[in-house]
Amino acid sequence: MGVEINVEDLKRRLQDLFVYYDYRPRRPREIYVTEAISCQRKAWLRIHYNASPPPTSAMIAGKLFHIALQEMFKNDEILKGCQFEVECSYNLPRGWVLRGRADAILNDTIFEFKFTREPFFNEAKDMYYLQTSLYCKMLSKPKGFLIMIDRTRWVVDVITVEPKEQLWNETLQRVTKLIDLLEKKTLPRDESPRFKFECEHCEWKMFCDKEKPKT
């Protein structure tokens, strides 16, 4: 006889799988690549309070899509042999670590997938390009492909990315400043989001507006 399944237990279990699958707690003195390239106020708040944003439906859908990629690529003529979810890290001052996770690597090429609504006009494209470029630098790969997939129309855009030294140096400068503020427990006061769309979707917007200096 099979094990009897309680409906409520099943619902809770599936909810946890969808939301917390592959969840990894933040390690001490760790800064994610996505935080290094985004608004410093948002990054400071997340790291200082060790908080993660509540998952949205788009985030969960993207997570499921990334899981499916491994099965899709298994026997593909071009993409079979990919390594998935490849971790990378870079040692920062005073014991801090910059850490990221590239979606896939095949030989000397990084693949970063973004499950979006508008691959050709998405306002986050510059941020995604920067993220992919940093992964190339951290993993010593000469190039990457930023693959943007419109989840509404299933249109694919592929953008070639290189590890640009200027982008890397600018990011290290931003991270060093962020570390200084974190260690001083001083919230960034004069930092605007690097990308305009960040405020609209920020989980800290209400708190941030109250803390901004009055002009």
Side-chain angles (χ1 to χ4, degrees), residues 13-135:
R13 179 59 179 156
L14 290 174
Q15 178 74 15
D16 288 345
L17 284 174
F18 287 139
V19 175
Y20 299 112
Y21 174 83
D22 202 26
Y23 170 75
R24 302 184 184 190
R26 185 191 296 273
R27 286 164 278 198
R29 292 181 175 264
E30 182 176 63
I31 299 175
Y32 302 144
V33 168
T34 51
E35 294 167 339
I37 64 177
S38 64
C39 171
Q40 284 209 327
R41 288 172 63 84
K42 177 171 66 176
W44 190 97
L45 289 164
R46 284 188 179 181
I47 298 167
H48 179 75
Y49 292 109
N50 194 21
S52 299
T56 64
S57 58
M59 291 168 60
I60 295 172
K63 185 187 302 182
L64 295 173
F65 174 75
H66 279 75
I67 296 170
L69 282 176
Q70 301 187 38
E71 185 65 28
M72 293 165 58
F73 287 5
K74 187 182 296 182
N75 297 312
D76 185 86
E77 183 177 341
I78 297 176
L79 300 170
K80 64 181 178 182
C82 276
Q83 295 175 272
F84 292 90
E85 303 296 325
V86 180
E87 291 200 5
C88 53
S89 63
Y90 181 83
N91 292 330
L92 297 166
R94 302 189 292 280
W96 287 82
V97 177
L98 180 64
R99 203 177 302 277
R101 191 160 42 159
D103 288 339
I105 294 180
L106 180 62
N107 300 325
D108 286 331
T109 304
I110 287 175
F111 295 84
E112 189 65 19
F113 296 87
K114 297 300 179 185
F115 200 46
T116 73
R117 291 184 179 179
E118 300 174 1
F120 297 105
F121 307 102
N122 193 291
E123 56 188 353
K125 187 181 293 185
D126 288 342
M127 175 184 279
Y128 297 153
Y129 185 101
L130 175 55
Q131 181 182 355
T132 309
S133 178
L134 296 180
Y135 287 158

